[in-house]
Amino acid sequence: MTITRRNFLKGVAGGGLLLATGVPPARARVSTELPPQAVGLLYDATLCIGCKSCMVNCKVHNSVPGGALYKKGMKSPPYESKGLQGSDGIWDAPRELSGKTLNIIKAYRNGTAEKKDTAINGYAFFKQQCLHCISPACVSVCPAGAFRKDPENGSVYYLADRCIGCRYCQLACPFGVPRYEWDSAWPEVRKCQLCRHRYAEGKYSACAEFCPTGATIFGKVTDLREEAKRRLMLKPGTLYDFPVQTVTSRERTRREIAAYVDGVYGLNEVGGTQNLMLSGVSFELLGFSRNIPRFDLPSLTWAYIAKILWILGGVFVGGTAIHAVTHRKEKGA
Amino acid sequence: MRDMTQYIGPRLGGVANKLLDDSVSARLGIRMATPFTLVLCALIGLAAVVAVYRLLFGIGAASNLNDFWPWGLWIGFDVLGGVAMAAGAFLIAGAVHILNWKKYRCIVRASILNAFFGYLLAAISITLDVGRSFVIWHPLVMWQINSVMFIVALHLVLYLSTLATESSPMVFEKLGWQRTLDFVNRFMVGAVIFGVALSLLHQSSLGANYLIVPGKLSPLWYNKLLPYNFLVSAIMLGLAIVSFETLLTGKVFRHRVPREVVEGLARGMMFVGAFYLVMKVWHLVTGPGIGAALDGSFLGNLYLIEMTVGVIMPLAMLSFRSVRTNLERIFAVDILVILGVLLNRMNVGIFGVSEYATRAGGDYFPSLMEIVLTVGMIAFAILGFKVCAKYLPLFPEEGHH
Ligand code: SF4
Ligand code: SF4
Ligand code: SF4
C-alpha cells in the first residue's frame, strides 16, 4: 500500500476539522439549581382519604389539547377498564401508572389494618407520579432531547415529536415514573407534566385543585418546603390549619398534626425534587426505594462525557505519532 | 457462471460479472448450496416476518418488555453483545496500520468484515427496538450531549461508515477500479485512527449507559468504572472472536491458519484478561463484597458463571504454554471467553435490573418473537460473512500485498 505522509496527515486533519465544526451549540450539562419560579406539589399522606379525586381529574384535565394524555381525535379520557365486567368503558380502574395513567393513589395495609398512618396493623395511602426532579435523569439521558425541564417553572415535560421511543428515560428515572404505550405501533412516553398546559389559563395542577382535604397542594417549591418543614416541627396532636388546593390559599382545614416519619421526601433525593411528600409510614414501606442517591444523577454520566473530546484528541495525536515512528522506513514511498 | 450482461445490459452486467466471479476464493472451496445455507436463509426469513409484525403492531405485541423492564434481549444481546464482538476490528486494524505489525495483515480484512456485521446486527436490532423506528435518526440532528445514548448513536453511524470505508478496498480491488482504490487507500490510515478512537469511545460508552442507574443495576455490576469494564472485556472478547474466526475459517474453508497469528492473539487475550480480572476483583472487594457473589442468589450465581467461564477458566488454561501453543486448545479458550463476555453483557443489560424490577412488580423473559429475531440476526451475520468470503478477496494470499 502506498500512502505518503503528507496525504495521510491531510486526511487526519480534515477529519478533525469536520468534528470540530460539526458540533452545533448543544445545551450544556443539566443544572442542579432550583429554577427561579419553580412550582410543585406537596402530598401529605396523613391527610389523604383515598378518594382518588386527583386521579379522576388528572385524567380528565389532561385529555384536552395540550394535556399530557391528549392525542389527536381523542373523544374521552383513556380509561383503563380492562378486566372490569359491564364497565362499558366508562370506569377507570388502573392498577399502576401507565401510558394512560399519570398519577395513582395506592393503599398500604398491614395486619388488621385498623389505624391510619401506622406501619403495624395499620393502613395508609400514597401517591405515585413524576416528582419533577431538579436535575432530572430522564432529561439528561434522552438522546433526542424529547424530555425537557422548563427553565422558569421547572416542570419536566415531553415532546413526542422528538422522541424515538428508545425507553432510556424509563430505565434512567430512579422512581420508575415514565410509562410507555406498549400497545401502540407509534408509541409515546407518558408521565405527569405538572399540568403545565393549565398555567396559561391561570389554573394549576388538577390533582391539587380537586383534592378535597388538602393532601395534595400546589405552590412555589420554596413555600412548599417551608410548609412541609413547619408540619414536621410541630408536635403530633397539635391543631393546625392545613391549606387546601394551594399552599398560600386562604381556605384551611383544621386538623391534628400526625406523627410523621422519615422527614420530607424529595428534599435531598437525587439532589432534590420539586414535588415533596410527607407520610406517617416510612417511605420504604410505601415502595419508595431507600436505594436512592442523594445527589444529582446526571453528574454520573457527565463525568464520562466530559472526557470524550480528550480521548478523541489523544488518540489522533498519539496514533499519528506512533504511525510516523513505525513507518519511518517507508517514508516517501 | 451466468453472464449477467445478457440480463442487465453490458455496463451493469460487466460489474455484476466481476462481483460474482468467485475465482478469488476458489482455493477456499466455499460451497453455497448447502443445507446449512438453507437453514440460515429460513432463520433470516422468520426474523424478517417478526420484524414486519413488530413494526405493524408495536413492541408490546412482539416482545415481553414492560414498564419495569424496558430493555431486554435486543439491547442486552444484539446491541451490547454485537458491538462487543466487533472490537477485534479496531485492534487488528490498529496493529497493522498504526503499529505496523505486519504479521496480522492476513486477518485484517476478515476481522473488519466481521465487525461490520457485528455492528450491522446492533444497528438493525436497535432500529427495531426503538418504538418509533422511522425517526431513529433524530439524535443525529437533535444533539443532546448529556445523553450517553446520543453518543452511542453518533458512534454507531460514524463507525459503521468507517468500517465500510475500511472494507471497501476489497470491492474496488475486485472490480479493478484502480483510481477509486488508490483514493480510498490514501485515507486508510486516517480512517483506521478514527476507527480506533471511535471504538474506544463506543465500547466504553455502552457501559456508560448504565452509569445513571446506581439504584437499579445490581452492585455486582454497577460501579463507576463500568465504561472501562466494558472496554477491557470487549478487547478480550474481540481478540477471542478474531482468533475463533481465524481458526474456524481454517477448519471449514480450505484456508491455511497462520500459526503465529493465533498464538499472538492468545497471548493478547491472556494479558488483557489478567488486567480485566484485577479490575473485576478490585470492584468486587471494594464494592458489594465477595459475599454478594457467593450468597447463592440468582444474580450472585450469574456473576460467578460469567467470571468462571469468561475469565478465570480461560486465564487458567492460557497460563500453560501447552495451551498457548496448541490451536485446538486456543479454540476452546476462545469459546469460553466469548460465552463469558456475552453473558456479562446480558447480565448488565437484562438480569442486573431484576431485583429492582421484581420489587416494582415486573417480570421478563424474552418472547419467542424476540428470540426469533435475535437468532435471525445472527444467521444474517454468518451468511453475510460467508457470501463475502466467497466473492471478495477476504484472505489475501501470502505475498499478495
Ligand atoms: S421523577 Fe423520573 S420522570 Fe420525573 S423528572 Fe425525575 S427522572 Fe424525570
Ligand atoms: S423513549 Fe423517547 S423520551 Fe424516552 S429517552 Fe428515548 S427518545 Fe427520549
Ligand atoms: S400535576 Fe396534573 S398531570 Fe401531574 S398528577 Fe397532578 S393532575 Fe396529573
Side-chain angles (χ1 to χ4, degrees), chain A residues 129-133 136-139 147 156 172-175 177-178 191:
Chain A
Q129 69 180 93
C130 172
L131 296 180
H132 297 273
C133 306
C138 58
V139 171
F147 267 118
V156 176
C173 170
F175 306 105
V177 169
K191 72 167 197 65

Side-chain angles (χ1 to χ4, degrees), chain A residues 14-128:
Chain A
L17 208 67
L18 196 82
L19 269 175
T21 53
V23 182
R27 267 149 296 123
R29 60 179 298 190
V30 176
S31 159
T32 55
E33 299 292 322
L34 190 68
Q37 300 299 324
V39 290
L41 302 167
L42 170 63
Y43 171 76
D44 187 331
T46 66
L47 296 174
C48 180
I49 54 169
C51 69
K52 302 192 176 182
S53 167
C54 52
M55 287 173 63
V56 174
N57 287 289
C58 170
K59 205 160 262 197
V60 169
H61 294 282
N62 276 287
S63 301
V64 297
L69 288 171
Y70 183 71
K71 269 209 167 153
K72 250 218 204 98
M74 186 174 251
K75 295 231 173 53
S76 77
Y79 291 130
E80 292 186 89
S81 47
K82 216 161 100 190
L84 275 191
Q85 280 183 351
S87 74
D88 298 330
I90 54 162
W91 291 89
D92 194 26
R95 305 187 59 85
E96 288 290 347
L97 293 179
S98 75
K100 299 185 170 90
T101 299
L102 310 176
N103 99 61
I104 192 160
I105 297 291
K106 290 184 179 174
Y108 162 85
R109 305 167 59 97
N110 177 279
T112 55
E114 272 164 285
K115 204 154 175 286
K116 189 160 184 290
D117 301 311
T118 341
I120 310 226
N121 284 335
Y123 69 99
F125 298 107
F126 60 101
K127 190 173 192 252
Q128 286 182 335

Side-chain angles (χ1 to χ4, degrees), chain A residues 85-282:
Chain A
Q85 280 183 351
S87 74
D88 298 330
I90 54 162
W91 291 89
D92 194 26
R95 305 187 59 85
E96 288 290 347
L97 293 179
S98 75
K100 299 185 170 90
T101 299
L102 310 176
N103 99 61
I104 192 160
I105 297 291
K106 290 184 179 174
Y108 162 85
R109 305 167 59 97
N110 177 279
T112 55
E114 272 164 285
K115 204 154 175 286
K116 189 160 184 290
D117 301 311
T118 341
I120 310 226
N121 284 335
Y123 69 99
F125 298 107
F126 60 101
K127 190 173 192 252
Q128 286 182 335
Q129 69 180 93
C130 172
L131 296 180
H132 297 273
C133 306
I134 292 172
S135 309
C138 58
V139 171
S140 101
V141 299
C142 178
F147 267 118
R148 295 285 173 89
K149 186 170 177 72
D150 190 298
E152 285 300 313
N153 63 39
S155 60
V156 176
Y157 61 101
Y158 167 76
L159 301 167
D161 287 346
R162 300 178 77 99
C163 176
I164 62 170
C166 68
R167 308 183 294 284
Y168 196 8
C169 48
Q170 292 198 289
L171 186 80
C173 170
F175 306 105
V177 169
R179 300 294 155 125
Y180 203 59
E181 293 185 311
W182 294 99
D183 46 5
S184 163
W186 200 248
E188 290 180 19
V189 178
R190 302 287 201 201
K191 72 167 197 65
C192 154
Q193 302 183 24
L194 215 48
C195 288
R196 64 197 310 276
H197 63 296
R198 291 163 53 89
Y199 301 165
E201 308 160 31
K203 295 181 185 155
Y204 53 93
S205 298
C207 54
E209 183 182 338
F210 292 92
C211 176
T213 65
T216 302
I217 54 172
F218 178 87
K220 285 188 66 172
V221 175
T222 41
D223 295 345
L224 293 174
R225 283 179 178 171
E226 251 172 62
E227 175 73 27
K229 283 181 195 156
R230 194 176 313 130
R231 293 181 194 180
L232 274 181
M233 300 280 285
L234 292 169
K235 242 179 69 202
T238 323
L239 282 180
Y240 182 68
D241 291 327
F242 290 91
V244 181
Q245 294 178 318
T246 65
V247 69
T248 51
S249 135
R250 245 177 288 142
E251 198 192 330
R252 304 262 158 171
T253 146
R254 179 164 300 180
R255 295 186 47 178
E256 282 180 12
I257 289 280
Y260 295 110
V261 299
D262 276 5
V264 187
Y265 196 92
L267 223 44
N268 303 311
E269 280 72 16
V270 292
T273 62
Q274 293 186 197
N275 286 0
L276 306 171
M277 291 190 282
L278 289 170
S279 167
V281 173
S282 84

Side-chain angles (χ1 to χ4, degrees), chain B residues 4 13 27 60 95 102 160 162 169 200 217 240 267 278 296 311 330 341 350 353 383:
Chain B
M4 297 307 280
R27 76 206 146 80
K102 295 204 173 69
L160 253 178
T162 309
L200 290 175
L217 182 60
R267 268 199 309 280
V278 172
V311 189
I330 293 180
V341 180
I350 307 176
V353 297
L383 188 65

Side-chain angles (χ1 to χ4, degrees), chain B residues 43-375:
Chain B
L43 290 173
I44 297 168
L46 270 178
V49 174
V50 169
V52 172
Y53 183 87
R54 136 80 193 90
L55 287 174
L56 288 179
F57 299 103
I59 296 184
S63 78
N64 283 343
L65 295 170
N66 54 65
D67 282 327
F68 307 103
W69 224 308
W71 288 0
L73 182 69
W74 293 341
I75 297 279
F77 185 88
D78 301 27
V79 177
L80 298 186
V83 168
M85 283 193 278
F90 88 89
L91 296 168
I92 305 297
V96 171
H97 290 288
I98 301 174
L99 297 179
N100 208 4
W101 290 358
K102 295 204 173 69
K103 170 163 106 176
Y104 296 100
R105 174 153 284 172
C106 57
I107 54 168
V108 76
R109 285 182 168 178
S111 54
I112 288 173
L113 189 70
N114 176 29
F116 185 70
F117 281 105
Y119 267 82
L120 216 52
L121 179 104
I124 298 176
S125 291
I126 188 119
T127 307
L128 290 168
D129 184 83
V130 306
R132 307 168 140 239
S133 305
F134 301 105
V135 296
I136 192 172
W137 46 270
H138 271 179
L140 301 181
V141 295
M142 300 177 176
W143 287 47
Q144 209 289 81
I145 56 161
N146 285 288
S147 168
V148 182
M149 184 69 109
F150 157 70
I151 312 273
V152 167
L154 201 61
H155 287 163
L156 194 71
V157 172
L158 287 176
Y159 194 51
L160 253 178
S161 331
T162 309
L163 285 170
T165 312
E166 288 176 351
S167 302
S168 64
M170 277 192 293
V171 181
F172 298 137
E173 212 174 285
K174 180 93 184 286
L175 290 173
W177 293 358
Q178 195 56 44
R179 288 247 301 281
T180 327
L181 184 63
D182 289 344
F183 180 77
V184 175
N185 276 341
R186 217 180 286 162
F187 294 101
M188 194 47 80
V189 178
V192 169
I193 294 185
F194 193 48
V196 170
L198 284 177
S199 294
L200 290 175
L201 292 170
H202 196 203
Q203 297 293 354
S204 56
S205 59
L206 286 178
N209 260 328
Y210 291 87
L211 284 176
I212 201 146
V213 289
K216 289 188 177 179
L217 182 60
S218 155
L220 281 169
W221 290 280
Y222 185 89
N223 74 99
K224 294 235 163 89
L225 294 181
L226 201 55
Y228 313 106
N229 290 161
F230 263 53
L231 177 61
V232 176
S233 56
I235 291 179
M236 185 170 69
L237 175 64
L239 294 173
I241 289 270
V242 173
S243 157
F244 173 80
E245 168 202 270
T246 309
L247 290 166
L248 188 72
T249 48
K251 283 184 207 287
V252 296
F253 306 156
R254 266 184 274 115
H255 163 58
R256 202 167 46 81
V257 183
R259 186 176 191 97
E260 71 276 13
V261 167
V262 180
E263 289 176 6
L265 292 172
R267 268 199 309 280
M269 247 190 310
M270 188 171 66
F271 293 132
V272 180
F275 183 67
Y276 184 61
L277 181 66
V278 172
M279 250 179 138
K280 291 292 272 188
V281 170
W282 171 256
H283 160 228
L284 192 64
V285 174
T286 57
I290 299 177
L294 299 175
D295 64 1
S297 63
F298 174 62
L299 291 181
N301 289 343
L302 280 175
Y303 180 89
L304 285 184
I305 299 176
E306 166 199 323
M307 288 306 291
T308 314
V309 173
V311 189
I312 296 170
M313 272 165 62
L315 278 180
M317 288 169 72
L318 285 174
S319 65
F320 293 102
R321 230 191 102 77
S322 59
V323 174
R324 288 201 306 273
T325 51
N326 180 316
L327 297 191
E328 289 306 317
R329 291 183 190 156
I330 293 180
F331 194 65
V333 171
D334 292 341
I335 294 176
L336 287 177
V337 172
I338 294 170
L339 291 177
V341 180
L342 287 181
L343 179 61
N344 168 266
R345 294 308 192 262
M346 293 207 274
N347 283 341
V348 174
I350 307 176
F351 305 116
V353 297
S354 64
E355 264 165 24
Y356 163 82
T358 319
R359 215 184 317 120
D363 199 0
Y364 170 78
F365 190 83
S367 71
L368 188 61
M369 279 195 251
E370 286 177 81
I371 295 171
V372 166
L373 191 91
T374 295
V375 171

